[in-house]
């Protein structure tokens, strides 16, 4: 990044196939004074990442035919690429760290597999072979569910379970992890309705027994009870679209605020953010649907300290922002930045991490 000596607090990942130039710095401003800088090309197809604060490392996927995850450190001089590892799968689209920061899990969408990489506890760098667990099966949608499609991975807070959503087989899988960090064989933790296409799973930040599953093709939010044996049950399903709306839309991203009182979902096609209030038991009630400000909101990032949501739109290739008020509702700000191939927005710590 050569266009400014200031360290950005945000960065934008892009797809090369959409004209993206890697990872761009993004400087927030007041009103419409946001700025985007030149791309860092050694991080192509950066559609998701995770940050390990202890080592100030960012693990960023390269969602290509030959899947890779790059290990990067950010400083005032820009990005330093420290390592790159092939995932053993195709089109990695999501990554997660276990609570100890010693295992990195990767969801390989196209190959329908999950990869697990051991990390050196002293450096955070990959070590040893990559272990790949491939799923099998299909779903009723012959165009989208011809085979397994891993879309999300995440660990339980105690590190005993690795979870995976599979859009292609309508399932949430669970892998037991032993004390040595070995990953067991998959088991079905929850069977979603056929053709719904599970995309992301979200664990409530404060309620151990509460989880939320968002299904891409059905545009639904499912509230689940999480059991100690790694399974999910008692599903309560509701739409993420307004009552009576009949156009074509698929769901994309989900996030919850730090207090665990508001949950947000993006709808591509309806091009909106659905806002849900969560009660003391984590039960969602829809508050509003608000236009995201662009076409196909693939991802959004909550910046609660700035009372702002940053939204990445894959079809309009724009980044917009929405203001978050004291009730958790959203409002447009007028900020719109054109970024070819935009896929993802990540936080970059001001200290360089």
């Amino acid at each position: 990044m050569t266009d400014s000596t200031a360290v950005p607090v945000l960065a934008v990942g892009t797809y090369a196939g959409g004209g993206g130039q890697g990872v761009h710095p993004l400087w927030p401003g007041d009103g419409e004074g946001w700025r985007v800088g030149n791309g860092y090309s050694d991080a192509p197809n950066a559609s998701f990442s995770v940050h390990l604060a202890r080592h100030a490392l960012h693990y960023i996927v390269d969602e290509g035919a030959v899947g890779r995850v790059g290990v990067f450190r950010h400083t005032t001089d820009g990005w330093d690429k420290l390592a790159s590892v092939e995932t053993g799968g195709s089109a990695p689209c999501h990554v997660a760290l276990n609570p100890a920061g010693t295992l990195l899990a990767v969801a390989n969408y196209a190959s329908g597999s999950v990869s697990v990489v051991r990390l050196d506890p002293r450096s955070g760098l990959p070590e040893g072979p990559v272990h790949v667990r491939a799923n099998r099966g299909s779903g009723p949608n012959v165009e989208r569910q011809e085979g397994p499609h891993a879309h999300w991975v995440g660990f339980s807070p105690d590190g005993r379970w690795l979870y995976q959503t599979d859009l292609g087989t309508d399932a949430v899988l669970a892998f037991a992890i032993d004390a040595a960090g070995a990953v067991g064989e998959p088991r079905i933790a929850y069977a979603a309705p056929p053709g719904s296409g599970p995309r992301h799973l979200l664990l409530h930040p404060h309620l151990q027994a509460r989880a939320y599953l968002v299904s891409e093709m059905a545009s639904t939010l499912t509230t689940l009870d999480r059991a100690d044996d790694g399974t999910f049950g008692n599903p309560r399903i509701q739409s993420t679209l307004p009552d009576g709306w009949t156009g074509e839309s698929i769901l994309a991203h989900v996030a919850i605020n730090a207090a665990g009182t508001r949950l947000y979902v993006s709808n591509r096609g309806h091009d909106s953010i659905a806002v849900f209030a969560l009660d003391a038991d984590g039960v969602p009630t829809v508050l509003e649907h608000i236009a995201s400000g662009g076409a196909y909101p693939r991802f959004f990032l909550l910046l609660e300290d700035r009372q702002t949501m940053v939204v990445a739109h894959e079809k309009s290739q724009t980044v917009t922002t929405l203001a978050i008020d004291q009730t958790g509702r959203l409002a447009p700000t007028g900020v719109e930045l054109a970024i070819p191939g935009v896929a993802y927005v990540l936080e970059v710590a001001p200290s360089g991490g």
Side-chain angles (χ1 to χ4, degrees):
M1 298 175 186
T2 60
D3 50 323
S4 176
T5 58
V7 175
V9 297
L10 301 174
V12 177
T14 64
Y15 284 124
Q21 301 297 314
V23 175
H24 296 257
L26 182 62
W27 291 277
D30 297 324
E32 297 184 28
W34 288 57
R35 294 186 298 121
V36 59
N38 297 326
Y40 170 69
S41 61
D42 210 12
N45 303 308
S47 61
F48 207 85
S49 72
V50 68
H51 179 233
L52 181 56
R54 183 171 72 250
H55 297 298
L57 296 178
H58 294 265
Y59 304 86
I60 305 177
V61 302
D62 176 355
E63 193 179 337
V66 177
R68 294 183 175 84
V69 173
V71 185
F72 301 86
R73 179 172 285 122
H74 192 275
T75 70
T76 55
D77 295 323
W79 292 96
D80 290 330
K81 187 173 186 178
L82 306 181
S84 178
V85 58
E86 290 191 7
T87 67
S90 181
C93 62
H94 197 270
V95 286
L97 290 162
N98 70 335
T102 55
L103 295 176
L104 178 75
V106 186
N108 300 299
Y109 178 81
S111 55
S113 61
V114 168
S115 305
V116 179
V117 183
R118 287 188 177 273
L119 303 176
D120 185 336
R122 297 165 298 179
S123 66
L125 296 177
E127 63 175 2
V130 176
H131 298 277
V132 181
R133 298 286 193 186
N135 195 21
R136 295 180 180 178
S138 59
N141 186 316
V142 295
E143 293 183 357
R144 296 290 311 278
Q145 296 182 307
E146 80 294 342
H149 292 301
H151 217 310
W152 174 95
V153 283
F155 291 89
S156 61
D158 59 11
R160 294 173 51 223
W161 298 98
L162 169 63
Y163 298 115
Q164 174 216 328
T165 60
D166 196 316
L167 182 147
T169 65
D170 295 313
V172 176
L173 303 180
F175 305 78
I177 301 175
D178 65 21
V183 179
E185 294 293 328
R187 57 182 293 194
I188 295 179
Y190 173 69
S196 59
R199 182 178 173 97
H200 280 201
L201 183 73
L202 183 65
L203 304 182
H204 194 285
H206 309 300
L207 302 175
Q208 180 177 349
R210 183 68 68 243
Y212 307 93
L213 177 69
V214 290
S215 294
E216 176 175 328
M217 295 188 294
S219 294
T220 53
L221 168 67
T222 302
T223 304
L224 296 165
D225 296 338
R226 184 168 71 94
D228 190 60
D229 65 357
T231 61
F232 300 89
N234 191 23
R236 286 85 80 198
I237 301 174
Q238 60 196 112
S239 177
T240 64
L241 297 168
D243 291 341
W245 195 79
T246 59
E248 293 185 4
S249 189
I250 56 174
L251 182 151
H253 191 57
V254 60
I256 193 169
N257 67 350
T261 58
R262 295 291 182 268
L263 183 145
Y264 303 89
V265 180
S266 65
N267 296 301
R268 293 176 290 180
H270 188 253
D271 294 341
S272 66
I273 307 295
V275 183
F276 294 85
L278 302 179
D279 67 14
D281 295 319
V283 177
T285 301
V286 66
L287 283 181
E288 67 172 349
H289 296 84
I290 183 170
S292 61
Y296 256 52
R298 182 188 184 274
F299 180 84
F300 59 85
L301 177 67
L302 296 178
L303 299 176
E304 293 191 63
D305 58 336
R306 298 181 61 93
Q307 296 181 294
T308 300
M309 174 186 287
V310 185
V311 189
H313 297 89
E314 60 183 299
K315 282 195 175 180
S316 58
Q317 300 195 356
T318 56
V319 168
T320 63
T321 67
L322 300 171
I324 307 172
D325 71 14
Q326 295 300 319
T327 71
R329 293 174 182 266
L330 304 173
T333 64
V335 172
E336 182 178 0
L337 299 167
I339 305 176
V342 61
Y344 174 67
V345 184
L346 63 147
E347 285 192 86
V348 180
S351 63

